[in-house]
Amino acid sequence: MGGAFCEFFAGIGLVREALGASGWSCAYANDLDPKKRELYVGRFGDEGHFHLGDVWGTADVVSRIPGRPALATASFPCVDLSLAGRGRGFEGSHSSSFFGFVRALEALGGRRPPLVLLENVAGFLTSAGGRDFEAAARALAGLGYRLDAFTLDAAMFVPQSRPRVFVVGVDDRGDPPNAPPRSSGGWLVDAWTERMDSADRRIRPRRLVELMRSIDLPTGWLAFDVPAPTGNPPGVDTAIDRDDGQDWWDEAAVAKHRAMMHDRHRERIDAMVAAGETFVGTIYRRKRDGKTRAEVRFDGVAGCLRTPRGGSARQIVIVVEGGRLRMRWMSPREYARLQGAPDFPLTGRAGQDLFGFGDAVCVPVVQWIDRHVLSPASASIERPARAAGARSLPLGRQPDARAATPDDAGGERDEHVA
Ligand SMILES: C[S@@+](CC[C@H](N)C(=O)[O-])C[C@H]1O[C@@H](n2cnc3c(N)ncnc32)[C@H](O)[C@@H]1O
């Protein structure tokens, strides 16, 4: 299906990577990080619509958006909503740039897209005890959007654990099929309630459903039919290069990390080496009880990619093969594969490439949302644009300071919300 869309917090462009495949065309992209832009342009070319600037520059943003786009996406900074952000939530200067996005939507007036998509970490549901999620939902409802929210983990598609929360908004120009609204009759068990009650908890965790039930929006909630994919994603071994040409560590570095393992991890690894078995896995270094541990994942899934700021945020590859134990830093190409963009052009500067992919969305996840939510909703929007009734915009708790740094420090852990 598709149409023109605006990609806010565009980063390296993996939302576009996902949506482009089904006919959506990017009319405007915004991000303030020139290093992310370099990766974006390396992939999509310099078409002139990438606006390198602050989302809070509302007049500038709005003047660059052509016509009336069909969709606006916002995978806004997660650092204040993730464990790394020390719980600042929307009081923090990074994640509160969401309200810069809302302000731009409001300023678009009759050119406001009928569809919006938000993406963020699972901490979005718990930040400020749920009040940040509520503030975001109310801000979008104040612009006339009916909302739905669900979670998807990249591990359903690729060998990377990356649970994420998605919020979809559809204004009254859309009448999406098979997305019943929540009825206002308190006792009635409506189709919305049935869908919430019978949902796969990986898609609609109880915490999220409770939040949605407790937030009474002026526009209301919808319930799209978002299935969980069936079938097993490939194992992490399919994303990892095992040839001798890789930057494998010397014996001392391997021995150091082997020594940093929990006893039971080290025993398991040693047994596989002794038995000549083959094993491909990943390691994160984490502080546990004041000690730095090298934690091995044995489940065939890589840990959540993060933006590398220090050794603890960068993932390590571990391979046991032919009686040998090898380790090295995970490469940018492997990061790209784990985000579902295996052939994405890299800059060749590892730090920049890892930073770009560590912050990005996972391509097949967004494609799944497109197939089951965005494209069906977009197809239901047939009526010509009419000036959206300008409702007052409850911007929630306004940030004291705006995002001033170009980076969105990641560092979130694999956050589960069930
Ligand atoms: C979670 S990342 C989005 C990644 C993107 N979806 C991708 O696939 O690469 C958030 C992005 O927001 C950008 N950002 C942070 N504050 C901003 C602001 N005030 N204005 C515009 N962009 C901002 C960061 O540079 C970062 O690239």
Side-chain angles (χ1 to χ4, degrees):
M1 178 59 207
F5 76 100
C6 297
E7 188 179 8
F8 286 82
F9 311 100
I12 66 172
L14 292 200
V15 170
R16 175 171 177 177
E17 185 72 30
L19 296 182
S22 65
W24 289 92
S25 62
C26 186
Y28 171 82
N30 171 253
D31 202 289
L32 50 57
D33 186 343
K35 291 187 172 172
K36 299 274 183 78
R37 180 186 181 278
E38 190 185 346
L39 275 148
Y40 186 105
V41 168
R43 166 66 182 94
F44 302 107
D46 191 358
E47 304 153 317
H49 71 247
F50 191 108
H51 171 202
L52 185 68
D54 194 328
V55 71
W56 284 105
T58 310
D60 203 8
V61 169
V62 167
S63 71
R64 290 166 186 256
I65 295 177
R68 194 204 77 186
L71 164 71
T73 67
S75 51
F76 58 101
C78 64
V79 63
D80 301 311
L81 302 171
S82 66
L83 292 180
R86 292 184 209 94
R88 286 181 295 246
F90 279 155
E91 303 287 355
S93 60
H94 298 276
S95 296
S96 59
S97 56
F98 165 73
F99 293 105
F101 166 68
V102 172
R103 193 191 276 183
L105 289 179
E106 184 184 36
L108 278 168
R111 297 198 293 124
R112 192 177 305 150
L115 261 178
V116 293
L117 173 70
L118 308 183
E119 181 258 4
N120 218 292
V121 295
F124 188 23
L125 301 182
T126 49
S127 174
R131 290 191 305 282
D132 286 342
F133 179 83
E134 177 168 358
R138 291 201 181 284
L140 292 179
L143 295 173
Y145 293 105
R146 291 161 292 156
L147 304 182
D148 191 9
F150 46 86
T151 61
L152 281 166
D153 189 337
M156 295 170 171
F157 304 86
V158 294
Q160 182 202 173
S161 167
R162 196 175 188 82
R164 289 292 184 268
V165 178
F166 297 89
V167 178
V168 174
V170 189
D171 78 6
D172 63 4
R173 287 167 282 183
D175 186 14
N178 203 11
R182 182 181 179 188
S183 87
S184 48
W187 54 271
L188 203 66
V189 178
D190 56 11
W192 186 91
T193 303
E194 271 172 19
R195 184 155 282 169
M196 291 296 146
D197 287 348
S198 62
D200 184 322
R201 292 290 157 232
R202 291 173 299 167
I203 305 288
R204 299 198 188 267
R206 288 191 194 286
R207 163 85 196 160
L208 173 58
V209 174
E210 276 163 24
L211 260 181
M212 291 161 78
R213 280 190 215 276
S214 70
I215 300 168
D216 197 12
L217 295 177
T219 47
W221 291 99
L222 300 174
F224 279 90
D225 185 10
V226 187
T230 54
N232 293 325
V236 73
D237 56 317
T238 61
I240 301 301
D241 293 311
R242 280 146 57 179
D243 56 279
D244 289 340
Q246 303 300 314
D247 230 344
W248 298 105
W249 289 347
D250 60 22
E251 275 178 29
V254 171
K256 180 177 153 200
H257 284 79
R258 180 183 162 280
M260 279 159 59
M261 290 177 190
H262 295 281
D263 291 347
R264 62 177 194 287
H265 285 189
R266 192 170 40 254
E267 285 160 16
R268 227 171 133 178
I269 294 293
D270 288 351
M272 287 192 284
V273 174
E277 287 175 20
T278 299
F279 166 73
V280 179
T282 60
I283 294 177
Y284 260 133
R285 293 197 305 219
R286 283 186 174 141
K287 275 249 186 276
R288 301 278 183 210
D289 304 326
K291 278 190 180 168
T292 303
R293 292 288 191 189
E295 295 191 347
V296 186
R297 274 191 89 124
F298 291 95
D299 59 357
V301 177
C304 186
L305 299 179
R306 303 188 228 143
T307 49
R309 283 190 168 271
S312 68
R314 190 165 171 191
Q315 205 148 183
I316 297 164
V317 166
I318 173 168
V319 174
V320 176
E321 204 168 23
R324 264 199 309 172
L325 171 61
R326 290 182 296 169
M327 294 181 203
R328 62 173 168 80
W329 295 117
M330 190 180 279
S331 71
R333 180 55 65 205
E334 290 161 341
Y335 269 52
R337 291 179 192 139
L338 291 174
Q339 292 288 39
D343 303 320
F344 201 96
L346 303 172
T347 66
R349 289 181 289 280
Q352 183 173 349
D353 292 334
L354 296 174
F355 205 94
F357 280 99
D359 239 1
V361 297
C362 182
V363 171
V365 174
V366 177
Q367 285 172 336
W368 190 256
I369 295 169
D370 177 33
R371 183 166 145 204
H372 295 283
V373 178
L374 299 178
S375 279
S378 175
S380 79
I381 297 160
E382 287 161 359
R383 284 170 284 159
R386 62 172 189 251
R391 293 167 225 214
S392 64
L393 173 64
L395 284 186
R397 282 172 288 140
Q398 283 286 329
D400 297 334
R402 292 171 192 171
T405 56
D407 48 17
D408 165 30
E412 76 273 17
R413 298 281 162 87
D414 305 7
E415 291 164 283
H416 295 279
V417 286

